[in-house]
Amino acid sequence: MESEETPTPVDPEVRAYVYSLVSALGGTGTDEDGRYVLGDDALACLKDLKRWLKLYDEKANRLDVARCLAEANLVEGDLLEILGAWPEEATEDRVKSKVALACRMCTQELSAELF
């Protein structure tokens, strides 16, 4: 009979920090007709998430940050909403371009962790 390994619990401090970054990234606003609204420091949040994926998960040889991001529904709830909110012709806006690139890089880092 095969025994299934129970996943080790995620450090509560790591979980709290990752969730705070996801929350600060943005969300749907009631004053914006339910559209996704970026947080004030969205670009910094995306960079921090990428850094945490790379440094914490690789260093600890665990997927704690990746698990928290999956639980927080980062890809569908935030990254796809951010990328889908901008028209393709909005390439001149440097801030939007940087945020889109950071979304892509964060997604690539997450994919590399899981696969």
Side-chain angles (χ1 to χ4, degrees):
M1 180 171 237
E2 293 181 31
S3 64
E4 291 186 28
E5 291 183 31
T6 57
T8 56
V10 176
D11 181 357
E13 289 183 27
V14 172
R15 183 183 304 279
Y17 189 76
V18 171
Y19 271 74
S20 70
L21 286 173
V22 173
S23 294
L25 186 57
T28 55
T30 56
D31 59 335
E32 298 291 327
D33 300 327
R35 290 181 289 153
Y36 192 92
V37 179
L38 284 177
D40 293 334
D41 292 326
L43 184 58
C45 290
L46 287 166
K47 288 180 179 180
D48 283 351
L49 287 170
K50 181 181 179 265
R51 196 174 303 123
W52 270 77
L53 275 167
K54 188 167 181 73
L55 298 178
Y56 185 86
D57 278 3
E58 284 182 12
K59 184 177 179 182
N61 197 25
R62 296 168 48 121
L63 296 175
D64 289 353
V65 175
R67 285 179 13 199
C68 290
L69 294 176
E71 291 169 5
N73 198 24
L74 175 75
V75 174
E76 285 184 31
D78 292 285
L79 300 182
L80 292 178
E81 291 285 337
I82 292 168
L83 294 173
W86 294 327
E88 289 183 35
E89 60 273 356
T91 56
E92 300 89 33
D93 189 337
R94 291 183 64 172
V95 174
K96 288 183 180 182
S97 296
K98 286 182 179 183
V99 170
L101 180 61
C103 284
R104 183 172 178 263
M105 293 176 76
C106 191
T107 305
Q108 285 177 334
E109 191 66 43
L110 186 58
S111 296
E113 286 285 320
L114 299 177
F115 304 107

